[in-house]
Amino acid sequence: MLNRITPPPVRPLSPRTLPAYREAALSNGIPVYWIPHGQVEVAEVMMVFRAGDSFQPKPGLADYTAKMMAEGTASYTSTGLARKLDDHGAWLSHETDMEFISLNLTSLERHLPDTLPLMHEVGFTPTFPEAEFQKMKQRNLQKQRVTEQKTGWLARRHFGPLLFGPEHPYGKSLGLPEIEAIQYEDLAPYHQRYFQAGNAFFAVSGRFDEHKLLALLDQTFGGLPYTGANKEDSSAKDVPFVTQTGRHYVEKEGLQSTIRLGHIGKERSHPDYYPMEVVNTILGGYFGSRLMRNIREEKGFTYGISSNLVSFRNDGYFLIGTDVKKEVTQATLDEIRKEINILQTQPVLDHELDTVKNFMAGEFVGSLNTPFEIADRYKTILLDGLPTDFLSNYVQNLRAVSAEQIQKMAQSYLNDEVLMEVVVGGK
Amino acid sequence: MSNIPYEIHTLANGLRVIIHEDHSVPKAVMNILYRVGSKDEEAHRTGFAHLFEHLMFEGSRHIPHYDEPLQRAGGQNNAFTTSDITNYYLTLPSNQLETAFWLESDRMLELAFSEEKLAIQKSVVIEEFKQRYLNQPYGDAHLRLRGLHFQQHPYNWATIGKEISHIEGATLEYVQDFFFGYYAPNNATMVVAGDVDPAEVMQLAEKWFGPIPERALKKHPLPQEPAQTAPRRDTVYADVPFPAVYKMYHMPAHTDRDYYVADLITDLLSSGRNARLFLNMVKQRQVATSVSAFSWGMYDPGALSIDAQIAAGHSPEAYEEALQQELDSLQDLSEEDLQRIKNKVESMFVLNQMTILNKAMSIATCDSLGDPELINTTPQIYQAITLEELKEVAARIFHPNNCSTLYYLPK
């Protein structure tokens, strides 16, 4: 008779060696890191600039500049460029983050000689047609008016400045007044300042002939003027945090309340990083988390509740978030506090801790499937200046976290003196 | 150019098992697709297939918690429900493969039904209903549009359901009935993919799924949607800042070759920065701040929708007129335009198949459409589409008599 009750034994995760990146420089000094990996002859070329949301005089300017760069270049109109990319089945996009902007080209290897020059056009010869800028701004203002009706937006709008201070780049959001404030005249200087050879590196992944690839990159980008490495760091370090704690309530009609609860966290190189990762997962970082089990699976108050730990180059934040039935807003807050209190007063038992660590290890290894996913992690490591063995040691560092550390973290980071709470909806 | 090898077996109880090997990472995927969706619901008990998907995570006959043992084995999972199918998938380290068989076979065998679990998941789903559809500006537009567009076929309601009261009214008896009527080995395709050995997979499949009995299915013929003969319109006033216009056109069934033609037209209209609707309606004419087209991929004759937010200073009527001109201009399409969109669709297809999970899901979907080999032949179907075909299908679909329109206006 088949035993359906006893689970098959849990076996140790087989060790996984991630492909290391290789390193070279173009003739003008731009560093290139590449990861030859994968089965499909597709390459992703990321040109990463130290820029982004914490490198900007005005919220949104970094992203608007990046968006406008594809709206016209020395040799192509916006449409001409889009057509050319489609002809080659290639994708060129940009990603604006707190500490970088990257131009990402995904292209079949055989099309790189045609597609890399398009990336050069966008990166270094944008014409910034003013009419397109004004139209984009008007469209986004209108879309923003719709967004501003959502409780999630209101929560974000209030949470950031309260947690980090109204002047801190981590706390800024892009509402109507901020969009209004972005001027056409701001774009070219921003581009000029940050889209420089000395402020960039390449992260390339996929399956390709590496000699050909390096030659192509050099041919396309090796002639850019290089005036030495840009030493500018993000403005995040210069602005002190001005944190408010306690409860903040924003009344809004509707069927649900949006709850956000959080505190300022640490960067990945901080000793508290791994213990806090585990605290986050236990509390709200996966489907079996304590908050999910209590507030969704036992009470049925919400479709979902989760917590997140976000780390920047310096500092970061921890956030619990949910949308709940309006009538149970206070009951939910009480239950969140109750779960925090349990974490602070009772050590996590081995069974749960093992489950969480296994889940995290599986999730981590499982998220590194494609060459693109691996390159994306390396991008963060390079930007944050983390040790190159960060990925290989991640699982081991996770396993080393003890129940005592978890309890200590919960006591110092999740106590009411540092927690900040925003509720939008009903009380 | 696409070549994804796989092997197919059928167990004595009717379960289809498809195996695809990919040893690039030490990971395995199990994807189980049940051929049941919201179209199998009764008109007065909608939202049930999706509610049922939630219950599938609430414990089975021998296993009180589905998630915990999987997470302990380093795995992750999720599921989704469409109008046509319900799909469950998990990934885990490949040396834990048997855990997947143990978990999935037990919930195919029988669920641990209880009043309490049902009550909780009803309220979770009701909160999902609010969070996604009712508590968002324009959130219920597509729920209303479906009701207008499908007058006979059960695509009339969305997977979340027609109204909250239907979810509130679900009973335990009906839950059990639904399970034994649709959750059966002979109504499912299981794809096991990744770093696996086919012989071991078959041995595990026989061991864990073999003993599950074949079941009498509750399948019933569905009313087919009659051809629409005149435009349909509806208007709703709500607390929104700008007018929006939602349109739905009848489109061929996913199993029909013309489906692919219509799907290619959708990409032409709406995919990427070179999308015709974005270029012409948003950037050039500026009658809308966003326009997007979507083909729903329904298994029976289904729907293609076009959603737009009307730009301030323009009327919904002016937008509609401009849209019709734009759709009519598909008749002027060139061979070059066609080739360009084909290249794009092919590249999307290749990129989508870079992960084991995506491949496993695609194989299961293709199998449920009646031909697993579609995983390899789909790009050729798109490549073979001719300009004449495309124009003919576009003219047929975008005829005003084939369209339902919903105006969503500020109060």
Side-chain angles (χ1 to χ4, degrees):
Chain A
M1 186 64 190
L2 186 57
N3 177 354
R4 289 191 179 272
I5 293 173
T6 315
V10 173
R11 300 190 177 90
L13 205 60
S14 43
R16 169 95 188 276
T17 326
L18 287 174
Y21 61 76
R22 295 185 208 165
E23 197 176 341
L26 302 188
S27 357
N28 56 2
I30 303 180
V32 183
Y33 305 91
W34 76 95
I35 301 147
H37 183 64
Q39 297 163 308
V40 190
E41 273 124 6
V42 180
E44 185 185 56
V45 180
M46 292 190 279
M47 189 170 195
V48 187
F49 300 87
R50 289 185 191 278
D53 291 337
S54 65
F55 291 76
Q56 59 185 359
K58 292 178 180 179
L61 177 56
D63 196 46
Y64 268 71
T65 305
K67 277 191 184 115
M68 281 300 300
M69 284 162 59
E71 288 298 319
T73 67
S75 324
Y76 295 98
T77 61
S78 153
T79 315
L81 185 78
R83 283 207 176 134
K84 198 88 185 161
L85 286 162
D86 279 2
D87 282 341
H88 295 288
W91 305 82
L92 178 61
S93 60
H94 76 274
E95 188 186 353
T96 306
D97 196 272
M98 193 59 78
E99 276 139 348
F100 67 85
I101 298 176
S102 72
L103 298 178
N104 302 343
L105 172 73
T106 309
S107 168
L108 290 175
E109 188 201 5
R110 64 174 195 272
H111 291 314
L112 283 172
D114 296 307
T115 52
L116 277 176
L118 301 175
M119 188 175 183
H120 175 271
E121 286 274 330
V122 169
F124 301 97
T125 71
T127 52
F128 296 117
E130 184 173 1
E132 291 305 322
F133 169 77
Q134 300 302 351
K135 284 195 270 178
M136 180 189 290
K137 185 169 154 178
Q138 287 314 310
R139 283 200 300 275
N140 289 344
L141 281 168
Q142 184 172 336
K143 286 182 187 168
Q144 182 60 23
R145 285 193 186 97
V146 177
T147 302
E148 297 206 351
Q149 291 202 321
K150 301 181 183 181
T151 53
W153 157 258
L154 288 168
R156 187 160 77 246
R157 185 67 161 172
H158 286 87
F159 187 84
L162 287 166
L163 186 66
F164 297 106
E167 295 311 316
H168 200 280
Y170 296 167
K172 303 264 191 196
S173 51
L174 198 56
L176 292 172
E178 288 83 6
I179 298 176
E180 286 286 8
I182 301 171
Q183 297 303 319
Y184 174 68
E185 292 70 30
D186 299 332
L187 302 175
Y190 192 88
H191 175 260
Q192 184 66 27
R193 181 161 170 187
Y194 293 105
F195 289 83
Q196 292 283 345
N199 198 35
F201 66 86
F202 284 99
V204 189
S205 57
R207 187 166 159 183
F208 44 78
D209 178 322
E210 53 194 51
H211 297 292
K212 276 193 203 157
L213 175 91
L214 287 172
L216 265 175
L217 280 177
D218 202 46
Q219 193 185 316
T220 319
F221 299 95
L224 289 169
Y226 187 90
T227 50
N230 190 337
K231 295 279 192 292
E232 182 180 338
D233 203 348
S234 95
S235 59
K237 260 170 58 174
D238 311 327
V239 187
F241 293 129
V242 185
T243 304
Q244 297 195 40
T245 54
R247 299 189 158 191
H248 303 270
Y249 171 67
V250 184
E251 197 178 342
K252 170 121 174 58
E253 275 187 36
L255 301 167
Q256 292 183 314
S257 295
T258 293
I259 294 175
R260 299 283 183 267
L261 202 72
H263 66 76
I264 292 176
K266 297 297 180 200
E267 61 277 356
R268 288 182 185 80
S269 53
H270 194 279
D272 291 347
Y273 173 73
Y274 288 98
M276 270 311 288
E277 280 266 73
V278 180
V279 166
N280 171 51
T281 308
I282 293 173
L283 193 60
Y286 72 128
F287 195 87
S289 72
R290 292 181 177 190
L291 288 173
M292 272 296 262
R293 268 184 296 173
N294 178 343
I295 291 161
R296 170 175 148 141
E297 294 296 296
E298 283 167 28
K299 309 263 177 352
F301 286 173
T302 178
Y303 176 48
I305 179 163
S306 62
S307 66
N308 277 291
L309 187 69
V310 178
S311 293
F312 303 122
R313 184 178 164 87
N314 302 297
D315 308 295
Y317 64 94
F318 171 79
L319 179 70
I320 297 170
T322 184
D323 286 2
V324 297
K325 180 157 52 173
K326 219 167 190 177
E327 302 75 51
V328 297
T329 307
Q330 188 54 47
T332 303
L333 289 166
D334 294 344
E335 290 301 324
I336 294 174
R337 288 255 160 31
K338 203 162 98 189
E339 290 298 344
I340 289 175
N341 185 261
I342 294 172
L343 260 184
Q344 290 168 331
T345 53
Q346 298 170 24
V348 180
L349 299 180
D350 286 347
H351 186 86
E352 184 182 0
L353 191 53
D354 282 350
T355 299
V356 165
K357 286 179 180 175
N358 287 354
F359 169 77
M360 291 175 78
E363 186 191 41
F364 178 77
V365 175
S367 70
L368 298 169
N369 304 302
T370 66
F372 305 167
E373 287 167 344
I374 297 170
D376 207 55
R377 297 287 185 123
Y378 276 127
K379 178 171 74 178
T380 306
I381 286 168
L382 291 163
L383 281 163
D384 284 9
L386 294 167
T388 50
D389 57 3
F390 181 86
L391 294 181
S392 332
N393 292 338
Y394 183 87
V395 171
Q396 199 185 317
N397 285 330
L398 207 64
R399 296 249 180 239
V401 173
S402 69
E404 293 71 41
Q405 277 177 298
I406 289 167
Q407 199 172 343
K408 217 177 119 227
M409 287 299 121
Q411 288 161 358
S412 48
Y413 287 101
L414 302 180
N415 73 61
D416 267 328
E417 278 154 43
V418 296
L419 276 180
M420 210 273 296
E421 176 186 310
V422 171
V423 175
V424 181
K427 267 187 185 159
Chain B
M1 83 164 276
S2 180
N3 181 28
I4 294 178
Y6 55 87
E7 50 182 86
I8 306 181
H9 304 265
T10 305
L11 302 191
N13 58 15
L15 178 66
R16 287 171 67 77
V17 183
I18 307 184
I19 306 166
H20 164 65
E21 286 181 79
D22 174 344
H23 300 280
S24 58
V25 284
K27 193 167 128 170
V29 169
M30 180 179 280
N31 185 94
I32 301 188
L33 181 152
Y34 291 93
R35 290 180 203 87
V36 57
S38 59
K39 73 176 174 197
D40 296 303
E41 296 160 353
E42 298 167 70
H44 64 289
R45 282 199 276 221
T46 66
F48 203 80
H50 169 252
L51 171 65
F52 196 86
E53 176 212 312
H54 278 246
L55 291 170
M56 282 285 278
F57 293 91
E58 297 305 301
S60 51
R61 186 151 134 202
H62 304 91
I63 305 173
H65 300 286
Y66 174 88
D67 285 285
E68 206 273 342
L70 178 65
Q71 287 153 356
R72 197 168 174 75
Q76 298 173 70
N77 69 283
N78 214 331
F80 60 84
T81 308
T82 73
S83 297
D84 299 288
I85 58 150
T86 312
N87 193 61
Y88 298 83
Y89 55 94
L90 64 84
T91 61
L92 78 183
S94 48
N95 62 359
Q96 286 306 145
L97 182 63
E98 189 158 8
T99 304
F101 280 89
W102 171 67
L103 282 167
E104 291 297 341
S105 63
D106 203 50
R107 64 178 181 176
M108 187 184 286
L109 182 71
E110 194 179 339
L111 286 190
F113 303 106
S114 87
E115 290 286 3
E116 195 203 347
K117 287 175 185 167
L118 176 61
I120 288 172
Q121 289 310 312
K122 275 155 71 166
S123 79
V124 168
V125 169
I126 289 167
E127 291 311 306
E128 180 180 0
F129 204 137
K130 294 181 198 163
Q131 187 177 329
R132 291 198 170 166
Y133 302 94
L134 305 182
N135 209 37
Q136 302 291 342
Y138 312 97
D140 63 348
H142 272 270
L143 306 187
R144 292 169 182 274
L145 187 57
R146 272 184 186 241
L148 184 64
H149 188 64
F150 293 104
Q151 306 207 321
Q152 298 292 324
H153 194 284
Y155 289 153
N156 173 276
W157 54 87
T159 49
I160 193 71
K162 228 184 231 176
E163 49 190 87
I164 285 181
S165 67
H166 287 190
I167 296 157
E168 285 167 339
T171 65
L172 198 59
E173 190 197 350
Y174 191 52
V175 168
Q176 276 164 326
D177 200 37
F178 192 86
F179 180 79
F180 289 108
Y182 294 106
Y183 280 71
N186 43 315
N187 199 34
T189 293
M190 170 166 78
V191 178
V192 181
D195 179 29
V196 299
D197 166 35
E200 191 197 349
V201 169
M202 283 318 294
Q203 181 248 319
L204 290 170
E206 290 291 356
K207 175 180 171 185
W208 292 102
F209 287 90
I212 302 173
E214 183 176 342
R215 292 177 180 135
L217 300 179
K218 234 173 94 177
K219 290 273 173 186
H220 48 93
L222 299 175
Q224 291 304 300
E225 189 66 24
Q228 187 179 335
T229 50
R232 290 179 198 147
R233 297 190 158 270
D234 199 3
T235 303
V236 52
Y237 295 91
D239 184 17
V240 290
F242 301 98
V245 175
Y246 297 87
K247 283 179 170 282
M248 223 173 222
Y249 302 85
H250 294 281
M251 107 178 232
H254 204 319
T255 44
D256 190 324
R257 192 194 132 83
D258 281 351
Y259 169 84
Y260 296 88
V261 183
D263 192 50
L264 195 71
I265 294 172
T266 311
D267 282 319
L268 199 60
L269 291 175
S270 189
S271 167
R273 281 216 305 263
N274 199 26
R276 294 170 71 95
L277 293 179
F278 177 69
L279 287 182
N280 300 334
M281 307 288 290
V282 176
K283 285 185 85 175
Q284 204 196 332
R285 298 183 190 224
Q286 301 173 61
V287 288
T289 57
S290 67
V291 192
S292 60
F294 183 69
S295 61
W296 287 79
M298 287 154 170
Y299 286 27
D300 288 339
L304 186 161
S305 57
I306 300 182
D307 302 353
Q309 291 267 334
I310 308 306
H314 294 267
S315 67
E317 291 80 8
Y319 158 76
E320 276 200 88
E321 202 186 315
L323 177 68
Q324 194 59 49
Q325 285 171 13
E326 183 53 37
L327 297 173
D328 291 344
S329 78
L330 287 169
Q331 299 305 320
D332 308 326
L333 212 67
S334 69
E335 290 286 354
E336 197 194 344
D337 295 326
L338 178 64
Q339 192 53 50
R340 185 178 294 125
I341 193 68
K342 285 180 180 177
N343 292 353
K344 184 170 192 161
V345 167
E346 182 169 353
S347 129
M348 284 196 281
F349 197 81
V350 171
L351 288 175
N352 185 42
Q353 292 183 352
M354 286 188 75
T355 67
I356 298 167
L357 179 59
N358 284 357
K359 285 191 284 184
M361 272 192 205
S362 299
I363 293 171
T365 306
C366 293
D367 187 59
S368 72
L369 286 166
D371 181 11
E373 187 51 15
L374 282 168
I375 188 75
N376 291 317
T377 55
T378 298
Q380 294 151 31
I381 301 180
Y382 285 112
Q383 282 298 350
I385 293 169
T386 66
L387 197 57
E388 288 63 42
E389 258 182 312
L390 191 144
K391 291 179 181 177
E392 187 274 316
V393 172
R396 186 150 38 98
I397 290 180
F398 297 125
H399 192 283
N401 284 352
N402 195 41
C403 178
S404 305
T405 307
L406 176 71
Y407 275 16
Y408 209 109
L409 305 178
K411 254 180 205 163

